[in-house]
């Protein structure tokens, strides 16, 4: 699926790949919700549903795969930094779940872990929506550098409605999501970091798009590296003195540091990323 998506994106068939993002996690959660209400939800059923949703996405992409016999061969030399950026970006958004996976069985008996895993999926759902919306939104709202204070102010004012609407939607969505939890009431102190995480997703993805579009890859890598480093230091503390609440703040702190660095530090020199 990922290979076909990359190929379709290269051919600017963004709508097809955007729709495919709805056919994995979002479809998975919808089916799980239905199964949970009409029957008995087991681990085997859950895994089977995830396999089904993944297969549906692959079939959709396969049916829309671009096949052309007279294609012109193009050589694109992309440096290794682009691969590093993808790795750091993954750590930026998934560091907490990696820590949880590394700790494994040690956390099974700790209260609140199941609740945490449930809440950790909320930002993933939001991310799926943002990726789809970003195809249309980011080319029109990307952050232009160098910063011109008057222009930047006008730009922020112009898109304040979009941001405020997004924040309100995220707040409403997390309230609905929390009510789907079948167990002890999820405390506000645990829900807050995931709400902040969800809010930051739009800003971070826009920043990433903006820096790559204008060729500021070095600054993007530096900001990502520093943010992930701070998250790693927190992860070490969590590993030796496990706390669900501290774990929940790893990603939000990383994202907020990344956003702050973007607007505080000079972006450096721009250069062509694809040659």
């Amino acid at each position: 699926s990922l290979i076909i998506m990359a190929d379709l994106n290269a051919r600017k068939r963004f709508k097809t790949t955007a729709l495919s993002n709805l056919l994995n996690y979002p479809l998975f959660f919808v089916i799980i919700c239905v199964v949970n209400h009409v029957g008995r939800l087991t681990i085997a059923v859950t895994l089977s549903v995830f396999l089904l949703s993944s297969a549906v996405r692959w079939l959709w992409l396969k049916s829309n795969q671009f096949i052309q016999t007279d294609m012109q061969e193009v050589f694109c030399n992309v440096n290794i930094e682009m691969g590093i950026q993808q790795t750091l970006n993954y750590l930026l958004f998934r560091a907490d779940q990696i820590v949880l996976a590394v700790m494994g069985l040690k956390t099974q008996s700790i209260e609140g872990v199941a609740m945490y895993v449930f809440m950790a999926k909320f930002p993933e759902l939001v991310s799926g929506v943002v990726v789809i919306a970003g195809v249309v939104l980011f080319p029109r709202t990307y952050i232009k550098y160098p910063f011109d204070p008057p222009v930047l102010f006008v730009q922020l004012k112009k898109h304040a409605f979009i941001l405020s609407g997004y924040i309100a939607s995220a707040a409403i969505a997390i309230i609905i999501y929390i009510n789907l939890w079948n167990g002890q009431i999820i405390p506000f102190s645990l829900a807050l970091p995931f709400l902040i995480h969800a809010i930051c997703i739009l800003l971070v993805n826009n920043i990433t798009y903006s820096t790559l579009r204008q060729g500021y890859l070095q600054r993007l890598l530096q900001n990502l590296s520093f943010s992930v480093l701070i998250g790693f230091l927190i992860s070490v503390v969590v590993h030796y003195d496990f706390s669900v609440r501290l774990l929940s703040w790893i990603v939000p702190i990383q994202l907020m540091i990344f956003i702050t660095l973007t607007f505080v530090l000079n972006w450096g020199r721009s250069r062509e990323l694809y040659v």
Side-chain angles (χ1 to χ4, degrees), residues 39 54 59 64 76 118 128 136 155 159 172 178 185 192 202 215 217 231 252 254 257 264 269 272:
S54 299
L59 288 172
N64 287 278
C76 180
F118 173 77
V136 178
Q155 188 179 23
H159 302 300
I172 294 171
I178 288 174
I185 297 175
L192 179 61
L202 180 68
L217 178 59
Q254 289 186 156
I257 290 174
V264 170
R269 296 181 60 182
E272 190 70 32

Side-chain angles (χ1 to χ4, degrees), residues 21-29 50 57 90 92-98 100 116-132 166 173-174 177 193-202 205 251 255:
N21 287 314
L22 291 174
L23 299 176
N24 195 204
Y25 278 113
L27 178 62
F28 166 71
F29 284 114
F50 184 71
R57 180 175 69 165
Y90 182 82
L92 187 72
F93 284 101
R94 298 287 184 271
D96 59 334
Q97 296 187 47
I98 293 174
L100 202 58
Y116 180 90
V117 173
F118 173 77
M119 289 303 302
K121 294 304 173 184
F122 174 73
E124 292 186 16
L125 289 171
V126 175
S127 181
V129 175
V130 170
V131 168
I132 295 171
Y166 174 75
I174 200 170
Y177 186 79
F194 290 104
L195 175 60
I196 294 175
H197 180 170
I199 292 172
C200 289
I201 287 173
L202 180 68
N205 277 276
V251 172
L255 297 178

Side-chain angles (χ1 to χ4, degrees), residues 34-212:
V34 172
V35 172
N36 187 50
H37 280 82
V38 301
R40 184 169 176 268
L41 190 62
T42 64
I43 293 177
V45 171
T46 303
L47 293 174
S48 298
V49 171
F50 184 71
L51 175 61
L52 174 65
S53 65
S54 299
V56 169
R57 180 175 69 165
W58 175 75
L59 288 172
W60 161 258
L61 289 167
K62 191 68 177 177
S63 65
N64 287 278
Q65 189 173 11
F66 189 90
I67 300 175
Q68 184 175 324
T69 56
D70 58 341
M71 291 188 296
Q72 180 181 357
E73 187 173 8
V74 177
F75 294 95
C76 180
N77 298 318
V78 183
N79 56 52
I80 194 172
E81 292 172 319
M82 290 299 296
I84 295 173
Q85 183 271 323
Q86 289 292 316
T87 303
L88 290 173
N89 193 69
Y90 182 82
L91 293 174
L92 187 72
F93 284 101
R94 298 287 184 271
D96 59 334
Q97 296 187 47
I98 293 174
V99 172
L100 202 58
V102 169
M103 295 189 69
L105 296 175
K106 295 180 182 179
T107 64
Q108 279 193 354
S109 60
I110 298 177
E111 184 180 356
V113 171
M115 188 183 294
Y116 180 90
V117 173
F118 173 77
M119 289 303 302
K121 294 304 173 184
F122 174 73
E124 292 186 16
L125 289 171
V126 175
S127 181
V129 175
V130 170
V131 168
I132 295 171
V135 174
V136 178
L137 190 64
F138 294 156
R140 303 177 183 179
T141 62
Y142 74 95
I143 303 165
K144 297 179 181 179
Y145 192 84
F147 296 137
D148 183 356
V151 175
L152 182 61
F153 176 76
V154 172
Q155 188 179 23
L156 292 175
K157 185 178 179 181
K158 178 181 178 182
H159 302 300
F161 177 77
I162 296 175
L163 185 59
S164 59
Y166 174 75
I167 293 174
S169 299
I172 294 171
I174 200 170
I175 292 173
I176 296 173
Y177 186 79
I178 288 174
N179 287 324
L180 296 175
W181 171 251
N182 186 21
Q184 294 180 346
I185 297 175
I186 296 176
F188 175 77
S189 59
L190 182 61
L192 179 61
F194 290 104
L195 175 60
I196 294 175
H197 180 170
I199 292 172
C200 289
I201 287 173
L202 180 68
L203 298 171
V204 171
N205 277 276
N206 196 348
I207 289 170
T208 301
Y209 174 85
S210 302
T211 49
L212 291 178

